[in-house]
Amino acid sequence: MFTGIIEATGTLSELTPSQGDLIVRVSSDNLDMSDVNLGDSIATNGVCLTVVEKFKDGFRADLSNETIKLTQFSHYKQGQKVNLEKALQPISRLGGHLVSGHVDGIATVVAVEANARATEYWLEAPAELMKYIPHKGSVAVDGISLTVNEVKQQQFKLTIVPHTAQETTIADFKVGSQVNLEVDQIARYLERLVLGAQPQASESTLTASLLAKAGFIK
């Protein structure tokens, strides 16, 4: 479990095909590895990776074909800059929101606009994920916990302050950039709780069920 508050950035220093899938080495001069053990999890651009080999300046991890298929790792090259966050500890501050590191899909940057000292990014997400992305809700974009400031159809807007741009990879985003997207898991659990054994129910059916349970409709 993670918070989406990035601890450091690093690079993919090695991408090695191995028996049909991939081994990656992540290098970073700024991530404290002293308290990391083999088997620990580190979110890498929002993807939960298990440490299989540890170094003073980074770690190695195995990537399954499932991970490669569902994330941007299928397009990453050696030298790719990535956001890094070690797993949440019970005594940690929850500065962002609960992030699992299980990517739901890929979003595409469709507009980048300056707004005073901030930068606004419009992203387009798959239609099936937009129902989990509400105005003022939380999303993880390449592992960064961010607040959704506007939603319209299949797009949502993020407003990025200078500190976030400086400490993460988001300043490198441009129109056409594709990023790993994880929606707020509370919305997913709520949907499953309401639908029960009806996973194929439509969004309108889900909305009606929620309103009925809340007492707004009979």
Side-chain angles (χ1 to χ4, degrees):
M1 193 67 70
F2 308 92
T3 69
I5 303 300
I6 304 305
E7 296 182 63
T9 58
T11 59
L12 301 180
S13 53
E14 295 177 12
L15 290 153
T16 308
S18 178
Q19 300 181 55
D21 49 36
L22 195 64
I23 300 172
V24 299
R25 176 168 176 167
V26 181
S27 300
S28 175
D29 293 328
N30 300 316
L31 188 69
D32 180 11
M33 296 293 296
S34 63
D35 59 349
V36 174
N37 298 308
L38 295 184
D40 283 356
S41 298
I42 297 179
T44 305
N45 263 14
V47 183
C48 179
L49 299 183
T50 301
V51 176
V52 299
E53 192 173 356
K54 172 184 169 181
F55 309 97
K56 183 178 179 180
D57 66 342
F59 63 97
R60 274 200 179 95
D62 295 322
L63 266 70
S64 69
N65 282 323
E66 178 73 3
T67 300
I68 297 168
K69 178 178 71 173
L70 293 178
T71 71
Q72 278 297 99
F73 267 96
S74 60
H75 300 291
Y76 289 163
K77 307 295 184 184
Q78 185 173 329
Q80 170 81 34
K81 189 177 178 182
V82 291
N83 298 309
L84 301 172
E85 181 192 354
K86 293 182 290 187
L88 175 67
Q89 295 180 329
I91 59 172
S92 300
R93 290 187 176 92
L94 186 57
H97 72 287
L98 290 175
V99 176
S100 69
H102 302 155
V103 172
D104 292 299
I106 304 300
T108 303
V109 178
V110 294
V112 181
E113 304 167 356
N115 184 348
R117 293 187 302 117
T119 304
E120 295 179 339
Y121 296 84
W122 278 96
L123 283 78
E124 186 167 291
E128 64 270 18
L129 295 181
M130 282 303 300
K131 63 181 176 180
Y132 304 112
I133 304 177
H135 179 230
K136 295 303 178 183
S138 296
V139 292
V141 174
D142 271 359
I144 311 164
S145 175
L146 298 168
T147 300
V148 176
N149 286 319
E150 191 175 342
V151 174
K152 56 183 181 182
Q153 298 179 332
Q154 283 184 231
Q155 298 179 4
F156 62 95
K157 183 177 76 174
L158 306 170
T159 301
I160 307 302
V161 297
H163 177 79
T164 302
Q166 179 180 334
E167 298 298 323
T168 71
T169 64
I170 204 164
D172 298 329
F173 291 2
K174 56 184 181 296
V175 173
S177 293
Q178 294 192 309
V179 295
N180 296 319
L181 177 66
E182 180 185 335
V183 299
D184 188 355
Q185 58 185 293
I186 293 176
R188 283 195 169 281
Y189 284 128
L190 179 60
E191 178 186 47
R192 182 59 179 167
L193 179 65
V194 172
L195 293 181
Q198 306 172 58
Q200 301 303 316
S202 68
E203 183 175 356
S204 59
T205 301
L206 171 60
T207 302
S209 298
L210 287 171
L211 291 174
K213 284 182 177 290
F216 291 105
I217 61 175
K218 301 296 184 182

